[in-house]
Amino acid sequence: MKKTISKLQGLRLISQIMFLFLMPELFTLIFNQLKKLYSMILKGNFDVISVWPQLLTMSTIFIITIIFGRFFCGWLCTFGAINDFIYIISKKVFKTKFKVDEKVDSILKYLKYVILLFIIVVIWTSGNTAFDSYSPWDAFAQVDNISGAIAEYTGGFILLAIIAIGAAFIERFFCRYLCPLGAVFTILSKARILKIKKLRDKCGPCRICTNNCSMGIKLYEMDKVNSGECINCFKCIAVCPRKNTKVNVLGEDVNPLLPSAIAIAAFTGVNALGGVMNDGMVNHSSNNTAASSSNVNKSEQKKYKDGTYTGVGKGKNPDLKVAVTIKDDKITNVEIVSNNETKGKEALSTIPNKIVDTQSTDVDVVSGATMTSKGIMEAVNDALSQAEIKDVNQKKYNDGIYTGIGQGKNPDLKVAVTVKDDKITNVEIVSNNETKGKEALEVIPKEIIEKQSTDVDAVSGATMTSKGIMMAVKDSLSQATKNN
């Protein structure tokens, strides 16, 4: 039995390390797909047939969780693995023996539901961007570029530090108390068919299983573990001196290796199939659109009317107002009329000059003043939309396929944008050097086509890759507008 347990825990460790290096963005990908699902339901445009490939990863994990429980948390999740590794190292090095009172632990576990509710109501429903810089997932995605990202994600890095400190003293600190996705999984796993059976009449007074439970579940009170907090780490099986703790599926005791292997194989298999199908759909769409694209349609008409136009945007605070002057189809002046910014004021003088110099709102943000910078760009875009000549006979874009380049986490992120009848019909990632945040490569192009705009939400945890794609698409569209 010891050999089986040792093999089980060894395989779990291998699984955690493998997913940590091969799919570090998995947590973020699932959370963003959940956000997309909620957004579509909220807007009333949810279509199962057209959208299911975009939600395949989330759907697969949710189904596995409903049937077998939280294998994702115990075996696949990057954040969970890092929490485990921090705790193990801290325990070995600092000999930490900190224990949370059971009543306090039970109360704190409700905090993750509060966080989930806050994200849904305050951020997803209202579209509030004020908390973008506080995302610990975005901060984690930038750890290899911390010097360049710490100003933009100061709040996120602070939260990440708190999570790391908490993990050093409390096993699975983030998973127990803070994880919003964990709150969803706790609810979903309530009806699972896999249970951990532990008959109390065969137990001694040791409470070793409870003392070793990663999630602090009071196992000594249970004959079967029905708690949604259980992450199927199976440590309670490994430490039981009487071999009284067993995995039970539909009333039958089974080797814990079996459901573990099924859960991991099901996810990796379906996820790989989804990637192949998605690539096929993208290529099919690209080929069809390319075949139907026409020659460039040129026009001599002006894009903007001369005059001064007022636009409004939201920086760190709302009502950032600018006045944009247009002369001979050029931006000749951008003036900040009023603002409520308390920080990042250097952007108020820098960004307008950049926009005039480049004749574009696609300029670099001022480090440490990201939200103010974006607010100015938003306000200028608002003003330019008013200045646009609304001629039904004038097309904004020329039909064709245009290649653009942007910089994500790494340079040379190349896209091919297909335009037909003044609409973006396809965005294809031609090549990239991204090592992290790859979920954005799938999500952002679809969002751009859906909204017919590059002004889409960045994928949490893949912000730089998201912005790189938007930059590359803008570069493509700038070519499509030449000679218009």
Side-chain angles (χ1 to χ4, degrees):
M1 187 66 179
K2 288 184 178 179
K3 186 175 181 180
T4 304
I5 292 173
S6 176
K7 184 185 295 184
L8 176 66
Q9 293 301 313
L11 286 174
R12 177 171 170 260
L13 178 62
I14 291 171
S15 174
Q16 287 182 298
I17 294 173
M18 181 178 70
F19 279 91
L20 175 62
F21 284 100
L22 297 181
M23 298 189 71
E25 73 281 0
L26 189 54
F27 176 98
T28 306
L29 177 60
I30 294 171
F31 202 61
N32 274 287
Q33 289 186 0
L34 180 61
K35 176 185 177 182
K36 183 176 183 65
L37 174 63
Y38 176 78
S39 177
M40 288 187 297
I41 293 173
L42 192 68
K43 294 175 182 177
N45 61 355
F46 178 67
D47 182 357
V48 176
I49 296 176
S50 63
V51 86
W52 75 265
Q54 303 173 38
L55 306 178
L56 186 61
T57 302
M58 179 199 73
S59 302
T60 304
I61 290 295
F62 279 13
I63 291 170
I64 291 171
T65 303
I66 291 169
I67 297 173
F68 288 121
R70 295 172 60 180
F71 273 99
F72 172 80
C73 303
W75 293 69
L76 312 180
C77 180
T78 296
F79 258 66
I82 290 174
N83 267 245
D84 278 343
F85 299 153
I86 291 174
Y87 182 75
I88 291 169
I89 293 170
S90 174
K91 192 174 181 180
K92 293 288 185 183
V93 175
F94 302 107
K95 309 296 182 184
T96 55
K97 292 184 179 180
F98 186 80
K99 185 174 176 61
V100 184
D101 179 79
E102 285 186 354
K103 289 185 179 179
V104 175
D105 178 74
S106 297
I107 295 171
L108 288 177
K109 282 175 178 172
Y110 287 103
L111 184 58
K112 58 180 174 285
Y113 298 102
V114 176
I115 293 172
L116 176 64
L117 188 63
F118 177 84
I119 291 172
I120 291 174
V121 175
V122 178
I123 300 177
W124 291 358
T125 304
S126 68
N128 194 319
T129 60
F131 297 94
D132 286 358
S133 62
Y134 289 88
S135 168
W137 304 288
D138 279 336
F140 176 72
Q142 316 299 331
V143 290
D144 57 348
N145 185 38
I146 190 169
S147 59
I150 197 165
E152 185 171 356
Y153 297 104
T154 304
F157 278 108
I158 291 173
L159 290 176
L160 200 60
I162 292 172
I163 290 170
I165 293 170
F169 292 94
I170 302 171
E171 190 171 8
R172 288 277 175 156
F173 171 77
F174 176 75
C175 310
R176 286 195 199 189
Y177 309 133
L178 305 178
C179 181
L181 196 54
V184 176
F185 288 143
T186 301
I187 297 169
L188 291 179
S189 65
K190 286 286 188 179
R192 68 191 182 276
I193 62 172
L194 183 149
K195 313 284 185 183
I196 294 178
K197 186 176 71 175
K198 186 193 67 65
L199 301 176
R200 283 176 291 175
D201 59 359
K202 295 182 179 180
C203 281
C206 64
R207 294 194 180 183
I208 289 177
C209 56
T210 299
N211 294 336
N212 283 272
C213 178
S214 297
M215 297 297 287
I217 303 170
K218 293 183 280 188
L219 299 177
Y220 64 88
E221 295 182 348
M222 305 173 182
D223 288 315
K224 278 190 177 180
V225 182
N226 297 311
S227 172
E229 298 289 340
C230 178
I231 60 171
N232 291 341
C233 66
F234 300 139
K235 288 175 65 177
C236 55
I237 296 175
V239 298
C240 181
R242 297 191 177 193
K243 314 305 178 206
N244 184 40
T245 311
K246 301 181 185 298
V247 172
N248 188 275
V249 177
L250 296 176
E252 296 292 329
D253 292 344
V254 299
N255 188 316
L257 284 172
L258 179 61
S260 305
I262 291 173
I264 294 172
F267 170 71
T268 52
V270 174
N271 196 56
L273 177 63
V276 171
M277 292 179 64
N278 185 67
D279 288 343
M281 291 172 65
V282 170
N283 290 333
H284 180 69
S285 174
S286 177
N287 291 336
N288 286 346
T289 309
S292 64
S293 62
S294 61
N295 294 330
V296 174
N297 178 31
K298 298 182 179 180
S299 173
E300 298 297 327
Q301 290 179 278
K302 292 171 64 177
K303 185 177 181 181
Y304 300 119
K305 295 176 288 186
D306 289 353
T308 300
Y309 303 87
T310 301
V312 179
K314 181 177 181 181
K316 193 77 174 176
N317 294 297
D319 298 326
L320 196 164
K321 190 177 292 186
V322 304
V324 178
T325 302
I326 304 290
K327 179 67 175 176
D328 296 331
D329 224 27
K330 290 185 177 181
I331 303 170
T332 59
N333 188 53
V334 175
E335 180 184 351
I336 306 297
V337 177
S338 61
N339 73 91
N340 299 309
E341 303 303 279
T342 54
K343 294 181 180 179
K345 292 194 173 184
E346 62 271 26
L348 300 175
S349 58
T350 303
I351 297 299
N353 292 332
K354 286 185 177 181
I355 290 174
V356 174
D357 289 342
T358 62
Q359 290 294 299
S360 169
T361 55
D362 182 19
V363 297
D364 293 333
V365 299
V366 174
S367 180
T370 301
M371 296 187 72
T372 302
S373 300
K374 289 181 178 178
I376 297 170
M377 298 176 207
E378 180 185 344
V380 172
N381 281 329
D382 181 32
L384 292 177
S385 69
Q386 300 170 46
E388 281 184 341
I389 298 173
K390 309 296 183 181
D391 188 341
V392 293
N393 296 317
Q394 181 188 9
K395 294 172 67 177
K396 185 176 181 181
Y397 300 121
N398 298 314
D399 288 355
I401 300 176
Y402 303 89
T403 301
I405 297 176
Q407 175 161 338
K409 191 81 173 177
N410 294 298
D412 298 326
L413 196 164
K414 188 179 291 185
V415 304
V417 177
T418 304
V419 177
K420 175 67 175 175
D421 295 332
D422 224 26
K423 290 186 177 181
I424 303 168
T425 58
N426 190 52
V427 176
E428 180 182 355
I429 306 297
V430 177
S431 62
N432 73 92
N433 300 308
E434 303 303 279
T435 54
K436 293 182 179 180
K438 291 194 174 184
E439 67 274 18
L441 300 175
E442 176 185 346
V443 174
I444 296 300
K446 293 173 182 175
E447 294 285 348
I448 290 174
I449 294 171
E450 182 180 327
K451 289 191 174 183
Q452 289 294 301
S453 170
T454 55
D455 184 18
V456 297
D457 292 334
V459 173
S460 181
T463 301
M464 295 185 73
T465 302
S466 300
K467 290 180 178 178
I469 298 169
M470 297 176 209
M471 183 191 304
V473 173
K474 286 179 181 177
D475 182 30
S476 298
L477 293 177
S478 70
Q479 300 170 45
T481 60
K482 287 178 180 177
N483 300 318
N484 261 3

